Amino acid sequence: MQVLLANKAQSECGPILCICYTNHALDQFLEHLLDIDVLDIVRVGARSQSERLEQYNLQALMKAYDKPYQVRQTLRETFSALESVAKKIKNLESELKGECVVWEHVQTLLMLNYPDLHQQFERAIYNARQSSIGNDMGSQSNVGSDEFITVESKKPKSNHPFDRWGIGQDIQELEAYNKQAEENWQNRASHPNHNQFDILGENNNVSRQQGPVLRKIPSTDRPIHLLLNDDIWSMSMKERERLLDQWRPEVQETLMNRLSDLVKLVEALNDKKNGAMDEVRRGILRHCSVVGMTTNGAAKSQELIKKLAPKIIICEEAGEVLESHILSALSSSTQHLILIGDHKQLRPQIETYNLSSDSSVGKKFNLDMSLFERLVNSPTKPFPKSVLTTQRRMRPCISNLIRGPLYSDLEDGEKVHSYPPVCGMGMDLFFMHHDHPEDAKDAFGMQSYSSTFEANMARSLATYLIKNGYDQPGDIAILTPYLGQLSKLRDALKGSFMLVIDERDQEQLDKKEVEEDAEDRQDTVHAQGGVKIGVKNVSLQKQVTLRTIDNYQGEEAKIIIISLVRNNVANDPSATGNIGFLKSSNRTNVLLSRAKHGMFLLGNATIMAHEKNGIWPSVIKELRAHDRIGDGFPLKCKNHPEQIRIAESSEQFKILAPNGGCNLTCARGMLCGHVCPLQCHPDDVDHRLVKCFQPCDRLQPNCQHACPKQCGQVCGDCKEKVGSFLLKCGHILQNPLCHQKKNPSTITCRAKVTRKLPTCEHEHEMQCWQNPAKIVCNVPCGLILPCGHTCTKTCATCQNTSLPKTSKGKSNEQTTDIRRTNHGKCDTKCGSNFFCGHACDSRCHQGAKCPPCKQVCAVACAHRSCHLPCDSACAACSEGCVWSCQHQGRCDMPCGVPCDRLPCNERCDKLLLCGHRCPSVCGEICPPQKFCVECKDPDIMSMEVDMIMMASLGETDVDVDPILVLSCGHALTMATLDGMMEMSRYYVQQEDRATGNMLYPAKRTLPGTEVKQVSCPSCRKPIMQLLRYGRRIKDSQLSLRLKKYQIVQQNAMADVKDQFDVARVQVEMSHDNFMLSLSKVQADPWIDPPSPENRKLGKFAKESDALPGSVFWSIAEMYGIPAEHREEWAKFIQPVAKLAKKINEINRKAAMSPTKQVFEAAVSRLYRLQQECRSLDSTDKDQLNEDVASAEIQKCIRKCGLPSDGNGGSSYVESLAEKTNALLLALSEASSAMEAAGANTGWYWFVEDFRNCCLLHIQLTMKAAVKGHYDQRLAYSRVSLLDILCDQVRWLSLRPLSEEDEEAKQVRFKAVHSLKESFMNEIKELQRNCPEKIKRECFARADAIEKRMTVAVKTARGDLNAPLTKAEKLEVFRAVAATLSGSGHWYRCPNGHTVSKFEGKTCRI
């Protein structure tokens, strides 16, 4: 190359083209040119791995090249056009992948094929542009008037009408509108000014105008041919999706055509861009001396080479390049072709073995024979050639392996004779013979050959050599002929070394692993965190090259480790197995000629020495002649040459040479003068990395004190302790270190001092050196919050929140007082006591009501403890009370009922476990032994038990005033607890003059008011399980249960009231459909009333029933109503029926309150006890008669002392009232059904019974309201009663009354008179007793009802001047329609006659 470049000017040869087969070989060739100062070179191609060649790369030179204006303009236009086309392609791709259809694509399709739909969309688009709002075009708009409600869609709105139509945004807005309307309608019922008795209107019907105005939502499902000419906004979402599904394939076909056109445009633009870039490339290449590219690059750039017209072409490693690759680089301008290579080494690689020279079939073709080999071996016209006979790479013992069989004239250069021996090895060349079989292949025999033993052995040998100094890049290379073994070696070495794998080997590995299981591929290729080349960086000083033989030609390394793999002794006992393509002399030549200083082979020497295996018999013979074959590698310690060991397995390396040397102690002197204590380590001869652990022998330079550290540590400052001295701050530093005393300014005074902080009023303990301005105050703030609690946050927290926003987080830098004004939300627990005795554990909620108590219920007795949440109602214990003693007897009540016996004041006479007398009261459960006043436990004796005298247990005389131990573990005297438990409210008190204690000779009646829980004064835990105070405790528990029960009932009633509003709306919405379904089936006349015994609606089935029969949702067959009507009624009234069932359950529970349950349990137990006493009395054997039994029951009731009323407060009255409202709602709908079907049908009798049911419920509600003193509820119920009485009078007039039947007339007149009299009496009661708060409302309703009552009375009496009711008009209509042959409509002729049938212009009257 130097000769050619030196004569370049004279020969006018222009740039010299250098081509190589691989990027690596090309990089090496060009780097050698740089080494001889050839700098005007250009490297073509982007796959260069050389950093030195980056600035010579064609792409880099093009960026720095000053392009002509025309080229710049062309590139600018081309890149701009490509960006625009790329955006269009990206948009088309997203639209093709997506499911949505865009208007700009579907517009043309609709205009051509569906003009009606296209016109509708265009109209909507025009309206959207004209509208200032632009929402809801083509559908019902949202306006802000009083008639409509403005709602927001949940999904983001699109401005284009087609997009709104496609996603159904107009339907979503209609649904949101209806939902909001229903919520607004429901909220009206809960408004404080809303009158829930509006149901009792003048027409006795629910006003349908009061319901929400709902919009109709499209829900049809029509076939597609009916949609093509329909209104687009009346289509349901399913129909719209059906249309879009039909349009989508047609739109996608159009998009694909557009995409194809864009791809063609991209190709044209790329050609234009490449044309402009080629001008730049040619301009750069014309002014250089050498152009380098790979053979693949030359084939791709034929046009560029043709225009460059190189006269001289040099091909390096030509024996490895296919003839076709070289021919593709030649042109008409080529005058000189120089081929450099070795035809005795690797031939070009081809994919098909049967076309290669090694194949018997392929010898006819010789496709893998290079141009170089064909010209050199030409038998007829041999080309001129020059052969190198001196090698300057291999040690002579290595070159001898190929000198005999291949290169007889080969000579060794002087340099190779001066190579040093391989450190750590007994021989520089060695073949380790072993009989470990190669790994088994897969089931199909397609897997490449591999050997796990050789992979592990190669890894251990490489590790050993690195420890002996071969740790630079290029020092060690591991070669193998098989790709499977390459994968094994990579997996074995990747955790210890940085692996350098050739790009061709990596491509083959990737191809191999794609065919394997995905899990195995994850463990191999991507084991290094996703890096594709499979390299893990451990240390740059541990780089190992890993290659297959076919991809290592032209390269070298100091140490070569070869894994031959083939070892099929198990399959071939005669050891003459086939070694495959290893028998090729070309491949063996490359394999044995890569090492410089040393080479180590792994394999089976017996197999390799077979005469059929190419040049291997000669190689093995040479190795045996010099004793270079053995069962293990000879290891020779560098520091102890006499130590030679044989390593026959990878594990023996760790045993024989753990640090790369031997097992002897190093025993060499280190720089500090001490002897190295480690094992032999040849990698650090100077001991620069060894740390000495002997005591330090050095003296401190300034003070001459001895260094106390280890020899391998830095001495640093002197740590010797010296005498104390005074610091500037005034504190005395005890035993300072030597270096501190010499330099006091470095001392930090750590004495504890207390200083006031500059930002608050608090003092803080700190070290003397600390700055108070930088101390964070963690003392609780302590200021009083608006809620009344003390702020528990830290002072620093409140300071930071009180600072301005610009100073946030800088409170520790302040030097002035910070006023704490913003404390945030109070963190203190509320602590308010619930009625259950627990304290509210929620965070402070100033002004808000405490949430329900969620702790475990504290109610407990001797039998069980309640484990329900505290806000749930629990049942009282029905077991017998356990309170008894020898002085006052036992309590006869159940455990959950207030006790009926008198308390005993005597001290308990039982003994504790210690043998001493119990200190508690007679009848109580004895306390633990530690409360013994004789044993005198110091902790217990100091417990304060007398809250009156403030005396401890040790100071109390338990004979006079015994103690009672609470469940919490605290003890109090009897006198203290008697006062706390309000014994005077439950028993008659008398003072014992002898002792001063109170006696309780008789019981008092239970207070009957709410009784609060009493808690321990020490821990605030409720006092529950003291038997002495069972009357008071159980009365309190009864109040607690009753309050919980009332809360549960109130919550249930609140839910029912909300559900009532929903049910009313549902009934109103389905009213028209119900009436339409009734008109489809004509009901038969049903004049006679049903038999009384079958009419259960509105009657009590049993005398013990609390409510009359009210199953209004299931009409019995006895009324003669058609089955179709009954089924439609059941469906229509179902929401109200469900509500009525829930109200019945609430009413049932209301009738069995905790008071009622306790009352019944007490009476039942007392009666059973009397019966047991009676059965034990031998003188009375007769059975009790009914009167005596009743007297006994009454006696038990009086003894019980509990109220017998079981109605649980307001929930009983409210449930009855709500049940009445539900019945009245259903009654109004039933009346409408009767009017539609006719008063002469069975609907008449059903409505009559239904009205009686409503009347009984109103009367029960009034009775309960009177008993519970619910005056407002009584007034409202009385208004409802007036409405029912008026309706009953009107109802009498629905059936015709014959003038001749005088008796029937008198019966009706009498009934009307009675109803009117009752009506007027109720009016008077309402006027006298109506509460002032609702008087105006009730009086207005009563006046309206009274007017209707007047009309109804006249109509019932047959007054002809009375106006006809709607039902009467319907009856007239039916009668006329049945009698006359007209249409049922009335007409007036020109002569003034009224006729039902009028044809033409002629009146027949």
Side-chain angles (χ1 to χ4, degrees):
M1 180 63 74
Q2 287 179 307
V3 173
L4 293 174
L5 293 175
N7 295 281
K8 177 183 176 184
Q10 292 80 358
S11 62
E12 298 181 355
C13 62
I16 300 174
L17 177 62
C18 175
I19 59 175
C20 297
Y21 180 65
T22 65
N23 285 286
H24 180 70
L26 179 61
D27 290 343
Q28 279 189 331
F29 187 89
L30 296 179
E31 285 177 351
H32 289 319
L33 293 182
L34 294 178
D35 293 339
I36 59 175
D37 296 328
V38 179
L39 304 180
D40 52 344
I41 62 175
V42 176
R43 190 353 178 140
V44 181
R47 301 188 67 179
S48 174
Q49 302 296 324
S50 173
E51 295 181 359
R52 295 179 63 189
L53 295 176
E54 287 182 358
Q55 58 180 323
Y56 302 100
N57 191 279
L58 180 60
Q59 295 295 332
L61 294 173
M62 289 177 64
K63 292 179 181 179
Y65 186 74
D66 187 14
K67 305 177 183 66
Y69 172 78
Q70 185 177 2
V71 173
R72 294 199 306 271
Q73 183 67 16
T74 302
L75 292 177
R76 190 180 304 111
E77 294 174 356
T78 306
F79 282 123
S80 177
L82 284 173
E83 289 180 0
S84 176
V85 174
K87 291 181 180 178
K88 294 180 181 179
I89 292 177
K90 187 176 181 180
N91 293 335
L92 284 177
E93 282 184 332
S94 62
E95 291 167 4
L96 285 170
K97 293 178 181 178
E99 295 295 328
C100 60
V101 179
V102 184
W103 171 249
E104 62 176 304
H105 299 144
V106 78
Q107 180 180 9
T108 306
L109 174 67
L110 295 181
M111 185 169 54
L112 296 176
N113 300 333
Y114 312 102
D116 292 341
L117 298 180
H118 179 265
Q119 186 176 4
Q120 293 186 57
F121 282 118
E122 287 291 341
R123 189 183 307 115
I125 295 171
Y126 174 79
N127 293 337
R129 291 173 180 171
Q130 296 298 321
S131 175
S132 59
I133 301 177
N135 292 331
D136 251 341
M137 292 298 106
S139 64
Q140 302 175 23
S141 303
N142 295 332
V143 296
S145 66
D146 296 336
E147 186 180 359
F148 300 106
I149 301 171
T150 303
V151 296
E152 294 294 335
S153 176
K154 293 183 179 179
K155 293 187 177 180
K157 293 185 178 180
S158 172
N159 292 327
H160 200 283
F162 181 78
D163 296 336
R164 289 167 47 81
W165 177 84
I167 65 176
Q169 188 170 315
D170 56 315
I171 296 178
Q172 297 169 14
E173 292 171 353
L174 289 176
E175 292 173 347
Y177 172 88
N178 290 348
K179 182 178 179 182
Q180 185 67 43
E182 291 180 357
E183 291 178 356
N184 291 349
W185 177 251
Q186 295 174 15
N187 293 337
R188 290 181 57 190
S190 60
H191 195 275
N193 296 326
H194 173 66
N195 181 13
Q196 57 183 336
F197 284 89
D198 283 344
I199 190 172
L200 308 175
E202 291 186 3
N203 298 324
N204 199 28
N205 283 329
V206 178
S207 179
R208 295 181 186 90
Q209 287 74 24
Q210 296 175 354
V213 180
L214 303 180
R215 305 291 178 84
K216 184 177 180 181
I217 298 176
S219 59
T220 53
D221 187 8
R222 294 168 290 176
I224 199 163
H225 68 274
L226 297 178
L227 305 177
L228 299 179
N229 297 315
D230 194 20
D231 179 21
I232 57 176
W233 302 107
S234 65
M235 299 179 186
S236 66
M237 198 63 216
K238 186 178 293 184
E239 292 172 342
R240 299 181 189 187
E241 291 174 354
R242 186 172 295 135
L243 275 178
L244 291 173
D245 290 341
Q246 179 175 349
W247 297 338
R248 189 172 290 110
E250 302 178 36
V251 171
Q252 288 181 343
E253 184 179 358
T254 304
L255 296 180
M256 288 299 298
N257 294 334
R258 291 186 186 179
L259 183 61
S260 178
D261 294 340
L262 290 175
V263 171
K264 293 178 181 178
L265 179 58
V266 169
E267 293 175 353
L269 291 173
N270 278 329
D271 292 340
K272 184 178 179 181
K273 180 193 70 173
N274 291 333
M277 296 300 289
D278 281 345
E279 289 294 330
V280 179
R281 295 189 186 99
R282 288 193 293 270
I284 295 173
L285 297 178
R286 286 195 190 100
H287 296 87
C288 69
S289 298
V290 179
V291 177
M293 60 177 65
T294 61
T295 56
N296 286 334
K300 294 178 183 178
S301 307
Q302 286 187 9
E303 193 68 26
L304 181 63
I305 295 174
K306 182 178 179 182
K307 293 183 179 180
L308 182 62
K311 297 180 180 179
I312 301 175
I313 298 178
I314 299 176
C315 179
E316 207 267 341
E317 291 289 357
E320 198 179 359
V321 181
L322 286 170
E323 183 172 350
S324 57
H325 285 197
I326 295 178
L327 294 178
S328 65
L330 302 181
S331 65
S332 58
S333 60
T334 304
Q335 299 178 5
H336 193 180
L337 176 62
I338 301 173
L339 303 178
I340 303 172
D342 186 353
H343 62 283
K344 294 184 179 180
Q345 293 192 14
L346 291 178
R347 287 193 173 103
Q349 296 182 18
I350 60 175
E351 295 294 333
T352 306
Y353 175 73
N354 288 335
L355 297 178
S356 65
S357 302
D358 294 336
S359 170
S360 57
V361 178
K363 289 180 179 179
K364 304 176 183 177
F365 308 104
N366 290 329
L367 186 61
D368 61 345
M369 180 180 291
S370 64
L371 175 65
F372 179 86
E373 183 178 357
R374 184 168 63 82
L375 295 178
V376 168
N377 294 333
S378 176
T380 56
K381 294 182 179 180
F383 258 60
K385 60 184 177 180
S386 175
V387 180
L388 300 178
T389 59
T390 302
Q391 66 89 16
R392 296 175 177 83
R393 172 189 297 162
M394 298 171 283
R395 186 185 293 275
C397 62
I398 299 175
S399 62
N400 288 338
L401 299 180
I402 59 174
R403 182 179 287 110
L406 297 175
Y407 304 103
S408 58
D409 298 331
L410 185 63
E411 297 179 358
D412 299 325
E414 295 181 1
K415 179 181 177 181
V416 299
H417 291 282
S418 60
Y419 283 162
V422 178
C423 292
M425 300 301 293
M427 293 186 180
D428 302 321
L429 172 65
F430 196 84
F431 189 116
M432 177 181 167
H433 168 78
H434 68 91
D435 295 330
H436 293 273
E438 60 199 42
D439 295 344
K441 290 191 175 184
D442 55 18
F444 303 99
M446 300 298 293
Q447 189 176 4
S448 179
Y449 294 101
S450 62
S451 171
T452 303
F453 172 80
E454 291 189 9
N456 293 333
M457 199 69 185
R459 178 198 62 203
S460 298
L461 180 58
T463 304
Y464 175 78
L465 292 171
I466 286 175
K467 291 178 180 179
N468 278 272
Y470 297 98
D471 53 4
Q472 299 300 316
D475 281 355
I476 300 176
I478 302 178
L479 305 181
T480 181
Y482 298 104
L483 193 64
Q485 184 66 358
L486 183 71
S487 177
K488 285 275 186 184
L489 288 167
R490 183 193 57 186
D491 294 341
L493 296 171
K494 64 186 178 184
S496 303
F497 307 101
M498 177 179 176
L499 304 180
V500 181
I501 302 177
D502 183 74
E503 58 186 9
R504 292 168 292 174
D505 284 331
Q506 186 61 49
E507 290 175 359
Q508 293 174 359
L509 281 174
D510 291 343
K511 183 178 179 181
K512 170 180 175 291
E513 288 166 349
V514 164
E515 300 172 356
E516 295 179 354
D517 184 77
E519 183 177 353
D520 295 337
R521 182 168 67 253
Q522 184 68 20
D523 293 339
T524 55
V525 175
H526 302 294
Q528 309 301 333
V531 182
K532 184 177 180 181
I533 61 171
V535 175
K536 181 175 181 179
N537 293 321
V538 176
S539 172
L540 292 177
Q541 299 301 318
K542 294 184 179 181
Q543 189 181 86
V544 175
T545 301
L546 182 61
R547 299 282 176 86
T548 57
I549 300 170
D550 292 351
N551 294 323
Y552 202 64
Q553 180 167 320
E555 299 188 47
E556 61 186 16
K558 286 184 180 180
I559 306 294
I560 296 292
I561 301 174
I562 299 173
S563 174
L564 297 174
V565 179
R566 299 309 300 269
N567 203 332
N568 48 11
V569 178
N571 301 325
D572 189 2
S574 61
T576 60
N578 183 18
I579 63 172
F581 60 66
L582 273 177
K583 67 178 67 175
S584 169
S585 61
N586 300 67
R587 188 169 280 106
T588 305
N589 184 14
V590 175
L591 180 66
L592 300 177
S593 60
R594 302 298 100 195
K596 296 172 66 178
H597 295 183
M599 183 170 64
F600 304 95
L601 297 89
L602 288 159
N604 190 307
T606 306
I607 294 177
M608 304 305 293
H610 197 271
E611 58 184 7
K612 296 181 180 179
N613 293 337
I615 68 172
W616 279 105
S618 173
V619 173
I620 298 299
K621 180 179 179 181
E622 175 68 20
L623 292 172
R624 282 176 175 164
H626 296 85
D627 198 18
R628 298 184 183 275
I629 297 179
D631 295 333
F633 290 117
L635 308 182
K636 182 179 181 180
C637 181
K638 178 181 178 181
N639 297 333
H640 306 91
E642 69 281 0
Q643 295 291 325
I644 298 179
R645 292 91 57 219
I646 303 299
E648 298 181 353
S649 64
S650 60
E651 292 78 10
Q652 289 185 352
F653 279 92
K654 298 179 182 179
I655 299 173
L656 300 176
N659 295 324
C662 60
N663 291 323
L664 297 178
T665 304
C666 178
R668 292 194 176 189
M670 296 185 289
L671 297 177
C672 61
H674 297 116
V675 177
C676 177
L678 304 179
Q679 274 188 326
C680 181
H681 50 92
D683 55 341
D684 186 14
V685 179
D686 297 331
H687 296 87
R688 297 184 182 278
L689 302 178
V690 178
K691 186 176 181 180
C692 181
F693 294 97
Q694 297 294 326
C696 182
D697 296 333
R698 298 180 293 274
L699 298 178
Q700 292 288 347
N702 297 327
C703 59
Q704 300 302 309
H705 289 134
C707 177
K709 297 183 179 180
Q710 294 177 351
C711 182
Q713 295 177 323
V714 178
C715 292
D717 295 330
C718 182
K719 305 294 184 181
E720 188 74 20
K721 291 183 179 181
V722 296
S724 303
F725 71 99
L726 184 67
L727 301 177
K728 291 182 179 181
C729 60
H731 295 112
I732 296 177
L733 181 62
Q734 301 291 337
N735 299 321
L737 302 180
C738 178
H739 75 91
Q740 291 178 326
K741 190 171 184 179
K742 291 183 178 297
N743 190 7
S745 61
T746 62
I747 299 176
T748 300
C749 182
R750 301 187 181 278
K752 296 290 185 179
V753 295
T754 301
R755 295 172 181 162
K756 181 184 178 299
L757 302 182
T759 58
C760 62
E761 70 278 10
H762 301 123
E763 292 184 344
H764 198 283
E765 187 181 35
M766 63 189 76
Q767 294 180 355
C768 180
W769 66 272
Q770 290 180 302
N771 184 0
K774 295 185 178 181
I775 296 295
V776 177
C777 184
N778 292 321
V779 177
C781 175
L783 297 181
I784 303 300
L785 302 178
C787 61
H789 293 126
T790 301
C791 180
T792 58
K793 295 185 176 71
T794 63
C795 179
T797 301
C798 295
Q799 286 177 352
N800 193 37
T801 55
S802 301
L803 285 172
K805 292 184 178 179
T806 55
S807 302
K808 290 287 184 181
K810 300 180 180 179
S811 61
N812 60 338
E813 299 177 4
Q814 298 286 332
T815 57
T816 58
D817 183 45
I818 299 175
R819 187 179 177 187
R820 303 190 297 278
T821 58
N822 186 2
H823 302 271
K825 191 174 181 180
C826 180
D827 291 335
T828 306
K829 287 189 177 181
C830 174
S832 301
N833 287 329
F834 292 110
F835 63 87
C836 60
H838 293 127
C840 177
D841 58 355
S842 300
R843 298 293 180 187
C844 177
H845 43 82
Q846 180 186 6
K849 187 179 179 181
C850 292
C853 180
K854 293 299 181 182
Q855 299 186 49
V856 178
C857 180
V859 175
C861 64
H863 303 100
R864 62 180 176 85
S865 297
C866 181
H867 297 288
L868 295 174
C870 201
D871 60 345
S872 300
C874 54
C877 180
S878 299
E879 301 292 333
C881 183
V882 299
W883 188 25
S884 65
C885 74
Q886 57 186 346
H887 306 100
Q888 297 292 345
R890 67 176 297 121
C891 175
D892 295 332
M893 291 292 180
C895 184
V897 179
C899 295
D900 65 342
R901 58 154 278 185
L902 300 176
C904 179
N905 289 355
E906 300 294 330
R907 180 182 175 184
C908 179
D909 56 1
K910 297 179 182 178
L911 300 179
L912 301 178
L913 294 176
C914 61
H916 300 122
R917 187 180 176 185
C918 174
S920 189
V921 184
C922 180
E924 291 292 330
I925 300 174
C926 293
Q929 179 183 342
K930 64 181 180 179
F931 287 93
C932 177
V933 295
E934 301 293 336
C935 296
K936 297 185 182 298
D937 186 319
D939 295 334
I940 300 299
M941 290 296 104
S942 61
M943 181 185 296
E944 191 174 276
V945 296
D946 193 338
M947 296 298 169
I948 302 173
M949 304 303 296
M950 306 303 291
S952 64
L953 179 57
E955 300 168 346
T956 302
D957 186 358
V958 295
D959 290 328
V960 177
D961 196 0
I963 64 170
L964 292 93
V965 179
L966 311 182
S967 59
C968 60
H970 298 105
L972 295 171
T973 61
M974 180 180 67
T976 299
L977 282 170
D978 284 355
M980 293 174 58
M981 302 303 291
E982 304 175 313
M983 293 291 279
S984 60
R985 294 185 63 189
Y986 292 89
Y987 298 98
V988 177
Q989 282 187 348
Q990 289 182 1
E991 184 177 359
D992 187 351
R993 295 181 180 180
T995 62
N997 291 334
M998 289 293 177
L999 301 178
Y1000 304 101
K1003 297 178 293 183
R1004 292 184 185 274
T1005 305
L1006 294 174
T1009 58
E1010 182 179 348
V1011 182
K1012 295 185 178 180
Q1013 296 273 10
V1014 178
S1015 301
C1016 171
S1018 299
C1019 65
R1020 310 305 301 168
K1021 184 176 181 180
I1023 299 175
M1024 287 287 182
Q1025 296 177 322
L1026 294 181
L1027 300 177
R1028 176 181 176 83
Y1029 308 105
R1031 190 168 178 81
R1032 201 270 183 209
I1033 291 175
K1034 294 174 184 178
D1035 189 22
S1036 172
Q1037 291 181 352
L1038 182 59
S1039 298
L1040 178 63
R1041 289 191 181 94
L1042 184 60
K1043 194 160 187 176
K1044 291 181 180 180
Y1045 159 82
Q1046 290 173 348
I1047 292 175
V1048 172
Q1049 289 289 92
Q1050 289 171 2
N1051 293 337
M1053 282 304 305
D1055 293 341
V1056 163
K1057 289 179 181 178
D1058 293 339
Q1059 294 173 15
F1060 177 79
D1061 294 333
V1062 176
R1064 181 171 55 185
V1065 172
Q1066 292 175 338
V1067 168
E1068 290 173 356
M1069 292 178 64
S1070 57
H1071 173 83
D1072 294 340
N1073 292 334
F1074 171 62
M1075 290 301 175
L1076 181 63
S1077 64
L1078 293 184
S1079 64
K1080 295 179 181 179
V1081 179
Q1082 185 70 32
D1084 296 332
W1086 197 270
I1087 305 300
D1088 297 328
S1091 58
E1093 61 273 8
N1094 294 331
R1095 301 176 71 173
K1096 298 180 180 180
L1097 183 62
K1099 292 185 178 180
F1100 291 95
K1102 301 177 184 177
E1103 293 183 0
S1104 59
D1105 287 350
L1107 298 175
S1110 57
V1111 185
F1112 59 86
W1113 51 87
S1114 179
I1115 303 177
E1117 295 183 5
M1118 64 179 181
Y1119 292 110
I1121 298 175
E1124 293 82 357
H1125 285 197
R1126 298 199 301 270
E1127 292 176 1
E1128 291 297 332
W1129 168 259
K1131 294 178 183 177
F1132 169 63
I1133 210 66
Q1134 184 181 13
V1136 184
K1138 289 183 178 180
L1139 182 65
K1141 293 176 183 178
K1142 292 181 179 179
I1143 298 175
N1144 285 341
E1145 181 64 21
I1146 297 174
N1147 185 265
R1148 183 190 66 80
K1149 293 180 179 179
M1152 285 299 294
S1153 66
T1155 307
K1156 179 71 171 178
Q1157 295 175 0
V1158 169
F1159 168 78
E1160 292 182 353
V1163 173
S1164 176
R1165 181 170 179 79
L1166 291 174
Y1167 184 74
R1168 283 198 304 272
L1169 290 176
Q1170 288 187 2
Q1171 290 295 93
E1172 292 175 1
C1173 294
R1174 188 180 183 88
S1175 63
L1176 295 175
D1177 189 358
S1178 59
T1179 61
D1180 190 0
K1181 298 293 184 180
D1182 299 332
Q1183 296 290 330
L1184 289 176
N1185 57 39
E1186 184 176 354
D1187 295 336
V1188 175
S1190 299
E1192 293 288 342
I1193 289 292
Q1194 291 300 320
K1195 183 179 178 181
C1196 294
I1197 292 175
R1198 289 192 297 274
K1199 184 179 181 181
C1200 169
L1202 295 172
S1204 60
D1205 181 27
N1207 299 336
S1210 63
S1211 65
Y1212 181 74
V1213 179
E1214 291 296 327
S1215 63
L1216 282 175
E1218 207 64 29
K1219 174 73 176 297
T1220 303
N1221 290 339
L1223 293 175
L1224 290 175
L1225 175 60
L1227 176 62
S1228 66
E1229 298 297 334
S1231 299
S1232 299
M1234 188 276 297
E1235 292 176 357
N1240 61 342
T1241 63
W1243 279 98
Y1244 178 90
W1245 306 111
F1246 171 68
V1247 173
E1248 183 179 67
D1249 290 348
F1250 200 172
R1251 184 181 297 103
N1252 291 334
C1253 178
C1254 294
L1255 178 61
L1256 288 174
H1257 277 81
I1258 293 173
Q1259 293 171 347
L1260 289 172
T1261 306
M1262 294 176 64
K1263 182 179 178 182
V1266 169
K1267 191 172 184 179
H1269 303 288
Y1270 298 102
D1271 295 337
Q1272 287 191 14
R1273 180 57 61 195
L1274 177 61
Y1276 282 134
S1277 298
R1278 186 164 274 124
V1279 172
S1280 300
L1281 179 59
L1282 292 175
D1283 205 3
I1284 286 291
L1285 292 175
C1286 177
D1287 196 49
Q1288 280 186 320
V1289 173
R1290 188 182 64 85
W1291 200 251
L1292 292 174
S1293 63
L1294 293 181
R1295 288 301 179 98
L1297 185 63
S1298 176
E1299 293 291 337
E1300 300 176 356
D1301 193 350
E1302 189 64 29
E1303 182 179 358
K1305 290 175 62 177
Q1306 293 301 322
V1307 171
R1308 176 182 288 188
F1309 290 166
K1310 186 176 180 180
V1312 170
H1313 178 74
S1314 175
L1315 289 172
K1316 182 179 180 182
E1317 186 176 358
S1318 299
F1319 183 90
M1320 298 309 299
N1321 290 336
E1322 295 298 333
I1323 286 283
K1324 293 176 182 178
E1325 286 293 328
L1326 181 65
Q1327 293 173 347
R1328 283 197 300 267
N1329 300 320
C1330 184
E1332 192 67 31
K1333 187 177 180 180
I1334 61 172
K1335 183 176 289 187
R1336 178 179 297 181
E1337 177 188 357
C1338 291
F1339 284 3
R1341 297 294 305 278
D1343 290 343
I1345 297 172
E1346 188 174 7
K1347 292 178 182 178
R1348 290 192 286 113
M1349 183 67 172
T1350 301
V1351 175
V1353 169
K1354 289 182 179 181
T1355 305
R1357 287 177 175 175
D1359 188 353
L1360 298 178
N1361 294 324
L1364 293 177
T1365 64
K1366 183 179 179 182
E1368 290 171 337
K1369 293 178 181 178
L1370 288 174
E1371 289 300 322
V1372 172
F1373 168 80
R1374 290 190 182 91
V1376 172
T1379 304
L1380 303 177
S1381 59
S1383 62
H1385 296 280
W1386 293 94
Y1387 306 92
R1388 189 175 298 277
C1389 77
N1391 299 325
H1393 300 122
T1394 302
V1395 294
S1396 64
K1397 188 174 182 180
F1398 182 69
E1399 298 177 357
K1401 300 181 179 179
T1402 304
C1403 177
R1404 298 189 179 184
I1405 297 180

